[in-house]
Amino acid sequence: MAEQKTMVQTAIVADGVTYLLAQDQDLARLKHRIEDAVKTAGTFVDFVVVGNRQVSILITPHSRVSTHVATVLFDERDTGDVDFPFGGYYDVL
């Protein structure tokens, strides 16, 4: 039986909304940007999600953000290149 390729998928949950991060997103850097945004009255933080789509979320001192990781089947389309989006809206939920 052939071994299936896997990858680590990281999700960020901001105020109850889950965003699956594209593979090229640096979680440590994103966490620092969110921490910096919390220190302001409100700042948009941009990142790329699965489907190679850019997302901007408004982070305020009252925002609730968590992250989690999981091992999932490998998807070669998940490059983080916003010039080559894939899937529809329901593919990234």
Side-chain angles (χ1 to χ4, degrees):
M1 180 148 76
E3 187 174 326
Q4 292 183 326
K5 290 176 70 174
T6 61
M7 63 187 194
V8 173
Q9 186 173 71
T10 304
I12 184 168
V13 182
D15 293 324
V17 179
T18 301
Y19 303 93
L20 300 176
L21 299 181
Q23 288 297 301
D24 72 336
Q25 297 301 283
D26 181 339
L27 182 58
R29 185 168 178 262
L30 180 56
K31 284 180 178 180
H32 287 295
R33 291 176 28 225
I34 291 169
E35 289 169 350
D36 290 343
V38 167
K39 298 173 188 172
T40 71
T43 300
F44 279 97
V45 175
D46 301 328
F47 52 91
V48 179
V49 296
V50 170
N52 298 338
R53 291 174 173 81
Q54 186 165 325
V55 172
S56 295
I57 58 173
L58 181 62
I59 300 293
T60 72
H62 304 286
S63 297
R64 302 191 83 168
V65 179
S66 63
T67 63
H68 59 89
V69 297
T71 301
V72 299
L73 291 176
F74 180 76
D75 186 342
E76 64 187 29
R77 302 172 300 169
D78 187 16
T79 62
D81 187 344
V82 294
D83 291 331
F84 297 98
F86 66 91
Y89 177 76
Y90 295 103
D91 292 338
V92 294
L93 290 179

